[in-house]
């Protein structure tokens, strides 16, 4: 057995495309290794600065050469065919590669793309074997694996917090940013002036995390502390400027809160006519009117109570109003929080003032979804309205790769799955488009319908693969009926039964899709949620002559993989 390390060195790649490239490389390499029948323990992909590292452990096939792996990498690179802009230039991934190095324990191979400068003094470039390379990484204070970088930072951060009688406010989005940004992240403690602890805790934490990307510390009794922690590279200097910047920002916010207008939140709704919406696509008043209509349509689809409908209408009407306040215009990341403070002081119902804030959730992986059904309906409607507005108003054909857009869709999927909301997203998209058709008179209805469905499915596929589902398991499912809740339940059952049967279920499904169902001699039973698992289990272990029978049962559920 041996290990393999592939280092793809690049330049000019926008940060928001790195995740897509990593996932595309991962998928294509795994598929090519499957064709080669390569047996290995694990494959890890990671990115540090301009290096894309691919680390394959415990390879059991001795016959493959570095040239064989070079062919695999070239195929993977060629499969990444989207373009991105860098300094007004459209580039592909291949055009951004400087060189590739492939290492095992005995030898290495360098593949030049743009050529190496002869005077380049880089110990990583000049490493001759896998072991040399690993040693140079350590000397250069680089932790290769992202998980190890995360663990290293969290361990030192928690130690600092405990020394102050505190714990760290966990924000996975910030932790991931640290692990992606720093080669060897270490934790640094900072503190702001205690006088700012008078600021509402939710506002205080949002300022620290959203504006300064630092993690607040909280006392064990739940009270705020003035301590925080942030990451830096082991070899870099501490940032003393940061503490002054935080104190200055908190002073500004404290003054704005103390100068809070006596107007009610609903009084700001009319002012939204002067607040531009995304890509100058109208204003936030227009958006609010669309949001109310879209939210009501989702209420009908979910058959909620009249009381919930009333709460939904009120939340949808008020939730964007704080965009017109001075404090949110100066600190946009406080949107929702300021609205909640206004709505609460205005005497709105709890479900309404909580919903005004919670409709923006979840903003990052570890954040909870909204608590009430009303807030969840407005949150989904708001995010879907944003996605449609962005696609309609975007002049960029690469909107499919827009980080914020994909993050918004991930939030929609998260709310649907964690709330177990059983509705057809395709039908909801049709209703959203009709609202836009009435409001804006959109021209290419079919194009936008197709575009929004494609990006939702692409994001859902991405999330499933991140969770550990096999590419073929995800791709064999027919997504014509876009009910995310039911589709996810099908995928989960398929994955569990396929794993239990050592991959046999997928083999049977692919064979089943090739047979002629007209050869079935029996009347098939009807597939429903109660017998799904049982029938999948039987399919995994059935004889070849019974496959036509199961093809009729699972008609429309699965599709051939391209």
């Amino acid at each position: 057995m041996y290990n393999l390390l592939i280092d793809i060195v690049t330049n000019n790649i926008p940060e928001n495309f790195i995740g897509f490239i990593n996932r595309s490389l991962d998928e294509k390499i795994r598929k090519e290794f499957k064709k080669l029948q390569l047996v290995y323990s694990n494959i890890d992909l990671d990115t540090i600065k301009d290096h894309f590292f691919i680390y394959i452990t415990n390879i059991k096939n001795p016959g493959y050469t570095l040239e064989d792996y070079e062919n695999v990498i070239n195929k993977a690179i060629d499969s990444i065919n989207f373009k991105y802009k860098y300094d007004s230039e459209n580039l592909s991934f291949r055009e951004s590669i400087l060189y590739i190095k492939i290492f095992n324990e005995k030898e290495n191979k360098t593949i030049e793309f743009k050529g190496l400068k002869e005077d380049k003094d880089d110990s990583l470039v000049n490493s001759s074997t896998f072991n040399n390379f690993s040693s140079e990484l350590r000397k250069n204070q680089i932790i290769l694996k992202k998980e190890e970088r995360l663990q290293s930072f969290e361990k030192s951060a928690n130690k600092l917090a405990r020394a102050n009688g505190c714990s760290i406010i966990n924000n996975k989005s910030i932790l991931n940013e640290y692990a992606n940004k720093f080669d060897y992240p270490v934790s640094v403690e900072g503190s702001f002036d205690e006088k700012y602890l008078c600021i509402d805790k939710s506002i205080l934490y949002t300022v620290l995390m959203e504006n300064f990307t630092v993690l607040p510390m909280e006392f064990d009794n739940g009270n705020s502390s003035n301590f925080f922690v942030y990451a830096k590279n082991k070899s870099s200097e501490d940032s003393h400027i940061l503490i002054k910047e935080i104190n200055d920002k908190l002073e500004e916010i404290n003054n704005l809160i103390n100068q809070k207008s006596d107007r009610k939140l609903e009084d700001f709704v009319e002012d939204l006519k002067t607040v531009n919406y995304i890509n100058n696509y109208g204003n936030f008043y227009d958006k609010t009117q669309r949001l109310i209509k879209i939210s009501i349509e989702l209420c009908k689809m979910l058959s909620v109570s009249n009381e919930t409908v009333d709460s939904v209408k009120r939340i949808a009407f008020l939730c964007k109003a704080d965009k017109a306040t001075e404090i949110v215009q100066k600190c946009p990341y406080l949107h929702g929080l300021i609205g909640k403070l206004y709505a609460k002081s205005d005497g709105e119902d709890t479900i309404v003032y909580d919903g005004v804030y919670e409709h923006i959730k979840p903003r990052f992986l570890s954040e909870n979804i909204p608590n009430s059904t009303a807030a969840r309906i407005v949150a989904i409607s708001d995010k879907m309205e944003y996605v449609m507005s962005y696609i309609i108003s975007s002049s960029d054909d690469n909107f499919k790769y827009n980080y914020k857009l994909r993050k918004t869709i991930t939030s929609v999927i998260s709310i649907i799955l964690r709330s177990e909301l059983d509705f057809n997203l395709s039908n909801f998209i049709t209703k959203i488009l009709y609202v836009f058709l009435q409001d804006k008179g959109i021209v290419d209805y079919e194009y936008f319908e197709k575009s929004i469905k494609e990006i939702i499915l692409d994001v859902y596929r991405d999330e499933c693969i991140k969770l550990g589902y096999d590419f073929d398991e995800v791709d064999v499912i027919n997504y014509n009926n876009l009910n995310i809740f039911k589709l996810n339940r099908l995928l989960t059952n398929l994955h569990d039964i396929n794993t239990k049967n050592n991959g046999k279920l997928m083999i049977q499904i692919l064979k089943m899709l090739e047979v002629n169902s007209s050869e079935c001699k029996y009347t098939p039973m009807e597939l429903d949620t109660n017998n799904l698992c049982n029938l999948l289990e039987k399919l995994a272990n059935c004889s070849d002559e019974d496959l036509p029978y199961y093809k009729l049962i699972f008609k429309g559920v699965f599709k051939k993989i391209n």
Side-chain angles (χ1 to χ4, degrees), residues 188 194 237 279 288 298 467 514:
V188 182
E194 286 186 333
E237 297 294 323
N279 297 330
T288 297
L298 187 52
L467 290 171
E514 298 295 334

Side-chain angles (χ1 to χ4, degrees), residues 28 51 86 232 255 272 314 336 351 388 414 448 555:
K28 189 63 179 177
H51 293 253
Y86 193 89
K232 72 174 187 70
N255 289 336
L272 291 173
R314 191 63 179 165
I351 200 166
M388 185 53 68
S414 178
F448 293 123
K555 184 178 180 181

Side-chain angles (χ1 to χ4, degrees), residues 191-413:
S191 61
F192 55 83
D193 197 311
E194 286 186 333
K195 69 180 182 181
Y196 300 121
L197 290 173
C198 64
I199 297 173
D200 179 89
K201 183 164 75 171
S202 56
I203 293 176
L204 183 63
Y205 288 176
T206 300
V207 172
L208 292 172
M209 291 190 286
E210 295 286 329
N211 198 85
F212 296 101
T213 323
V214 303
L215 296 170
M217 293 189 199
E218 186 174 86
F219 289 117
D220 294 339
N221 62 6
N223 290 337
S224 307
S225 82
N226 66 320
F227 299 108
F228 58 86
V229 66
Y230 61 95
K232 72 174 187 70
N233 262 330
K234 190 173 183 180
S235 56
S236 64
E237 297 294 323
D238 295 354
S239 174
H240 300 292
I241 300 170
L242 178 64
I243 293 171
K244 181 182 183 307
E245 289 177 345
I246 288 175
N247 279 319
D248 289 347
K249 177 56 71 174
L250 292 177
E251 176 69 19
E252 178 189 14
I253 285 170
N254 196 38
N255 289 336
L256 287 168
I257 291 171
N258 291 332
Q259 295 164 15
K260 176 179 173 289
S261 169
D262 291 332
R263 296 170 68 190
K264 289 188 173 184
L265 184 61
E266 63 183 13
D267 296 335
F268 287 98
V269 173
E270 192 71 20
D271 295 349
L272 291 173
K273 290 178 178 178
T274 64
V275 183
N276 288 338
Y277 191 34
I278 184 172
N279 297 330
N280 291 318
Y281 189 63
N283 54 57
F284 271 93
Y285 182 85
D286 298 333
K287 189 235 163 63
T288 297
Q289 303 311 307
R290 289 194 297 270
L291 178 56
I292 294 168
K293 294 174 184 176
I294 291 167
S295 299
I296 291 170
E297 291 297 339
L298 187 52
C299 285
K300 292 175 185 175
M301 293 182 73
L302 294 171
S303 302
V304 298
S305 67
N306 290 334
E307 185 181 6
T308 299
V309 174
D310 290 340
S311 297
V312 165
K313 288 179 181 176
R314 191 63 179 165
I315 295 168
F317 176 68
L318 294 173
C319 68
K320 298 299 171 187
D322 67 353
K323 290 272 188 182
T325 65
E326 183 183 6
I327 186 168
V328 172
Q329 291 192 348
K330 288 187 175 180
C331 308
Y333 47 83
L334 293 179
H335 165 53
L337 279 170
I338 298 302
K340 177 181 176 178
L341 292 181
Y342 269 95
K344 190 173 182 179
S345 67
D346 293 344
E348 298 286 350
D349 292 341
T350 304
I351 200 166
V352 172
Y353 68 68
D354 279 341
V356 165
Y357 168 51
E358 290 184 343
H359 88 281
I360 65 175
K361 293 183 176 182
R363 294 162 297 177
F364 45 84
L365 288 173
S366 57
E367 188 168 47
N368 292 329
I369 63 171
N371 283 311
S372 69
T373 300
R376 291 171 187 174
I377 288 170
V378 177
I380 291 171
S381 302
D382 173 51
K383 290 165 176 54
M384 290 295 290
E385 192 282 339
Y386 169 84
V387 171
M388 185 53 68
S389 292
Y390 187 94
I391 292 173
I392 291 172
S393 63
S394 177
S395 58
D396 183 6
D397 292 335
N398 268 341
F399 64 78
K400 181 180 177 182
Y401 306 106
N402 180 277
Y403 174 74
K404 186 177 179 183
L405 194 66
R406 295 179 74 90
K407 187 179 175 184
T408 302
I409 294 169
T410 301
S411 296
V412 171
I413 292 168

Side-chain angles (χ1 to χ4, degrees), residues 422 484-494 529 532:
D422 188 355
I484 296 292
F485 171 64
K486 285 183 176 175
L487 287 169
N488 197 70
R489 184 166 54 190
L490 170 63
L491 177 59
T492 303
N493 289 329
L494 187 157
T529 54
L532 174 63

